[in-house]
Amino acid sequence: MIFAAFAAAAIAGAPPIAEPTPNLYHQPAYCHDVVSREVERQKVAFNGQVPAAEYAVMRTLGGCGVPTPVGYHPSYLQPGAATADPPPKREDAPSNRR
């Protein structure tokens, strides 16, 4: 069917018209904050410049789709990030002693 439409257009001399495919997916309202925080984190990782090229993967944070630029490797996903030493305890932090 599509081939017949292209053939008819080629015979008539008119180029086929390409229509954009509508995007019916909309993220929940709370996703704006999640995405903006992740983009800011990426800017810090890339020293203020986020590359235009993105991986062709669907990466989500909290159910929200976020961009995944080429070369971005979040520090919290690096090997050993979960076993890193805890941050030093603040002096004014509450004590568990009784």
Side-chain angles (χ1 to χ4, degrees):
M1 187 76 158
I2 294 174
F3 180 72
F6 284 129
I11 292 170
I17 298 173
E19 294 288 331
T21 304
N23 185 357
L24 303 177
Y25 174 75
H26 297 286
Q27 295 203 82
Y30 67 88
C31 287
H32 177 71
D33 293 336
V34 173
V35 173
S36 63
R37 276 184 281 161
E38 182 61 17
V39 169
E40 287 302 316
R41 186 178 297 160
Q42 293 169 1
K43 284 182 184 176
V44 169
F46 285 112
N47 298 322
Q49 296 286 346
V50 178
E54 292 185 8
Y55 289 118
V57 296
M58 178 62 177
R59 180 172 168 238
T60 59
L61 288 175
C64 303
V66 294
T68 309
V70 173
Y72 177 62
H73 305 287
S75 59
Y76 55 85
L77 296 179
Q78 298 297 325
T83 58
D85 293 332
K89 192 170 183 177
R90 296 182 358 205
E91 292 178 16
D92 61 343
S95 174
N96 290 338
R97 296 182 200 165
R98 295 190 184 240

